[in-house]
Amino acid sequence: QAWIYSKIIGLFALLLVGTILISLFKKKTQEITQKMWDDPVPKILWGVLLLIATPIAAFLIALTIIGWPLTLMLMAIYIFLLYISKIFIGLLIGQKILVAKKDNKNKKEISLIWIMMLGVFIFFVLTNIPYIGWLFSLIGIIWFLGTVWQMILPKKSDKITDKQYAKNQSKNI
């Protein structure tokens, strides 16, 4: 019974965090969810790399005494991203189910929170399937980490050279 209660409490906590995320950062959550569909293979490859390399890098940084604060921040962000990855995968699932099923006659907008709740519940059920549930969870985490990483990395067109930066600064003066 304790195991079931802990799972139910975990589900409701995830739904609460998802509701707060969507309420505070609706546009950003939609942007991340949309970017997850764009070319998923590189995102998954980056996600595998990040899932493995982040704890190793944190450990190596922690070996230096002055690196402890950075290690703590890095691991806090890493754990936070692992946790909220379930919410974003839930959003993906919910959007595929609810938005795809919405016919043209019914133009009523479905709340992003309801989409998230349905998707998170389905993802929760999938990840709790004995023997294979961990695989769904792993794929979701990897996909989300890779998407966030690709959103953080500057594109080649966004990079600015030192000369361009100096020229822009001289114009501002």
Side-chain angles (χ1 to χ4, degrees), residues 8 67 73 78 81 92 100 112 125 128-129 136 141 143 164-165 171:
I8 291 172
M73 287 188 294
Y78 181 72
L81 289 175
L92 283 176
L112 195 59
V125 170
N128 282 294
I129 296 173
F136 292 114
I141 288 169
W143 193 0
Q164 290 171 330
Y165 180 76
K171 286 181 183 178

Side-chain angles (χ1 to χ4, degrees), residues 11-29:
L11 173 63
F12 282 112
L14 197 59
L15 292 172
L16 176 65
V17 171
T19 302
I20 292 169
L21 270 176
I22 290 171
S23 297
L24 294 176
F25 308 107
K26 185 176 182 176
K27 287 184 181 180
K28 202 58 164 172
T29 55

Side-chain angles (χ1 to χ4, degrees), residues 6-160:
S6 69
K7 289 291 186 179
I8 291 172
I9 289 170
L11 173 63
F12 282 112
L14 197 59
L15 292 172
L16 176 65
V17 171
T19 302
I20 292 169
L21 270 176
I22 290 171
S23 297
L24 294 176
F25 308 107
K26 185 176 182 176
K27 287 184 181 180
K28 202 58 164 172
T29 55
Q30 288 174 323
E31 180 186 347
I32 292 170
T33 306
Q34 184 60 40
K35 295 240 184 216
M36 288 178 81
W37 289 118
D38 301 338
D39 202 16
V41 175
K43 290 172 179 61
I44 291 172
L45 295 174
W46 274 112
V48 169
L49 179 67
L50 287 171
L51 186 69
I52 296 168
T54 303
I56 294 169
F59 174 75
L60 293 174
I61 294 169
L63 292 177
T64 67
I65 294 176
I66 61 171
W68 272 97
L70 181 59
T71 298
L72 293 175
M73 287 188 294
L74 179 64
M75 289 311 294
I77 292 168
Y78 181 72
I79 291 168
F80 176 72
L81 289 175
L82 293 179
Y83 184 76
I84 67 168
S85 66
K86 298 171 187 174
I87 296 166
F88 284 93
I89 295 299
L91 273 166
L92 283 176
I93 293 169
Q95 283 178 342
K96 277 299 177 192
I97 292 172
L98 290 179
V99 176
K101 297 265 183 199
K102 194 169 74 166
D103 58 354
N104 291 336
K105 296 175 193 170
N106 185 9
K107 293 286 186 182
K108 188 176 179 182
E109 184 73 22
I110 301 171
S111 169
L112 195 59
I113 292 174
W114 287 112
I115 292 171
M116 181 270 306
M117 286 185 175
L118 174 69
V120 166
F121 179 76
I122 292 170
F123 190 63
F124 173 80
V125 170
L126 288 173
T127 57
N128 282 294
I129 296 173
Y131 305 111
I132 61 167
W134 65 271
L135 190 59
F136 292 114
S137 184
L138 182 65
I139 291 168
I141 288 169
I142 288 169
W143 193 0
F144 176 71
L145 285 176
T147 302
V148 170
W149 180 253
Q150 283 199 331
M151 288 180 73
I152 292 171
L153 283 179
K155 298 178 186 130
K156 289 182 181 180
S157 61
D158 294 342
K159 289 184 180 176
I160 187 167

